[in-house]
Amino acid sequence: MEQKFFSIGEVSKICNVSRKALRYYDQIGLISPDYINEENGYRYYSEDTLLYVPILKYYKQMGFKLEEMQGLFDDVNFAGIRKWFPEKIGELTAERRRLQESLISIQDWYQLIQEAQMVLRYQTCEISVKYFPEMDFCYMDQEFTYDYPPAVINIPWTNYLEEHGEEITGAVILHYDSFEEKMEGRCRRVRIMQQAVRPNTQSPIQRTRQRGMAVCVYHIGSHETIDQEYERIREWAKKRGCRLAKDSYERFVTDYWSTKKTEEFVTEIMVPFEQESEE
């Protein structure tokens, strides 16, 4: 049978692909016209060649880049194309994991912003008792000078995570061994911690915070006035006969990462307690 040929314009309409793309496919050796008219330079494609366009589109859908498909149509048989897939499956699996981790991080950050908006809107600064769940976290111990900006947007911490190949999500948390030393200005060490995106018991910079209960309060505004909340917590516990633990956490819901307006800073202070005093 006589072979039918199509101009580049016809191929563009039939296959729903631009002329520019068809020219590029030819340029990189993917799909080339069967012949070019020497007089006018027009390109013509056979019906058989047109069938390569849907195959190319499907490979693009599977995640193959055009450059990766060079030589593809030289291997259009089972044995030839089978070798293409294992590496691409591994690559896409890694990409799916990366996208999932990015999704987790942005969802957690968005939840922090929503949490802060509710606190600011309703000025919810009452003391309460909360349950905090188990958390796998990355951590680093460092000096503390009561200078909050470099403690929260912490360059050594960021570098430390990169060196260990770790990724984190959620709020920055500062953990103090003694909340009384913290409120009295005598604290010299702090542990910075954030939730690990990939929990790993073998990681040297990961630990698990056990679940428990804590006396909590939100602080609105400048970090320089946070310590006054510890006095409120201590008085609250004293009136109710609660025995507070020694340590404390400051969880930065919104801070320098989110806004330059200190009046929009929201920090949750958490002091674990051991048990209620027996009457």
Side-chain angles (χ1 to χ4, degrees), residues 13-29:
K13 291 179 181 179
I14 293 170
C15 298
N16 193 28
V17 61
S18 71
R19 298 185 186 194
K20 181 179 180 181
L22 288 167
R23 292 190 182 95
Y24 185 66
Y25 298 160
D26 180 25
Q27 179 183 334
I28 64 175

Side-chain angles (χ1 to χ4, degrees), residues 79-104:
I81 65 174
R82 184 177 180 274
K83 67 184 181 182
W84 290 61
F85 287 86
E87 183 177 347
K88 179 55 65 173
I89 290 172
E91 178 186 319
L92 293 176
T93 300
E95 179 68 8
R96 179 177 62 184
R97 183 174 62 247
R98 187 193 67 78
L99 289 173
Q100 181 61 29
E101 291 172 354
S102 296
L103 179 61
I104 290 171

Side-chain angles (χ1 to χ4, degrees), residues 15 54 84 86 94 147 157 169 185 194 198 209 243 262-263 268:
C15 298
W84 290 61
D147 185 10
W157 170 236
T169 184
Q194 279 182 278
R198 297 185 297 270
R209 184 184 69 180
R243 184 182 303 167
T262 57
E263 63 270 20
E268 185 178 28

Side-chain angles (χ1 to χ4, degrees), residues 15-213:
C15 298
N16 193 28
V17 61
S18 71
R19 298 185 186 194
K20 181 179 180 181
L22 288 167
R23 292 190 182 95
Y24 185 66
Y25 298 160
D26 180 25
Q27 179 183 334
I28 64 175
L30 273 179
I31 300 176
S32 299
D34 291 272
Y35 81 91
I36 300 175
N37 189 305
E38 295 181 358
E39 295 181 2
N40 54 28
Y42 289 174
R43 299 159 180 258
Y44 292 93
Y45 297 77
S46 69
E47 290 182 277
D48 290 341
T49 300
L50 261 63
L51 298 180
Y52 288 133
V53 177
I55 298 174
L56 182 147
K57 287 184 175 182
Y58 192 58
Y59 269 72
K60 286 179 65 178
Q61 176 187 312
M62 289 189 288
F64 286 95
K65 299 179 178 65
L66 291 176
E67 293 73 14
E68 293 176 318
M69 288 187 271
Q70 290 179 348
L72 166 66
F73 299 124
D74 296 331
D75 286 330
V76 184
N77 58 72
F78 178 77
I81 65 174
R82 184 177 180 274
K83 67 184 181 182
W84 290 61
F85 287 86
E87 183 177 347
K88 179 55 65 173
I89 290 172
E91 178 186 319
L92 293 176
T93 300
E95 179 68 8
R96 179 177 62 184
R97 183 174 62 247
R98 187 193 67 78
L99 289 173
Q100 181 61 29
E101 291 172 354
S102 296
L103 179 61
I104 290 171
S105 296
I106 196 168
Q107 286 178 331
D108 288 347
W109 197 328
Y110 182 53
Q111 288 175 359
L112 290 174
I113 293 173
Q114 290 182 307
E115 179 182 350
Q117 286 177 332
M118 294 296 289
V119 173
L120 292 167
R121 179 181 301 171
Y122 298 112
Q123 296 291 299
T124 52
C125 297
E126 298 83 6
I127 294 176
S128 63
V129 174
K130 287 186 179 180
Y131 168 84
F132 55 87
E134 183 177 284
M135 183 180 80
D136 295 300
F137 64 90
C138 298
Y139 74 96
M140 182 177 73
D141 296 324
Q142 61 183 185
E143 294 182 2
F144 182 67
T145 63
Y146 291 82
D147 185 10
Y148 275 95
V152 177
I153 302 184
N154 195 312
I155 294 175
W157 170 236
T158 302
N159 293 341
Y160 189 66
L161 291 168
E162 290 177 348
E163 289 169 7
H164 287 83
E166 296 282 4
E167 294 189 5
I168 43 76
T169 184
V172 171
I173 300 172
L174 296 183
H175 178 235
Y176 306 92
D177 289 335
S178 169
F179 77 86
E180 291 188 342
E181 288 185 0
K182 170 62 169 53
M183 64 184 292
E184 294 167 4
R186 297 186 291 111
C187 178
R188 296 294 175 264
R189 301 288 296 177
V190 69
R191 169 166 291 178
I192 183 170
M193 50 192 287
Q194 279 182 278
Q195 184 175 341
V197 171
R198 297 185 297 270
N200 179 8
T201 56
Q202 303 304 313
S203 171
I205 69 165
Q206 280 194 33
R207 288 191 180 180
T208 299
R209 184 184 69 180
Q210 300 304 314
R211 60 183 179 271
M213 303 294 292

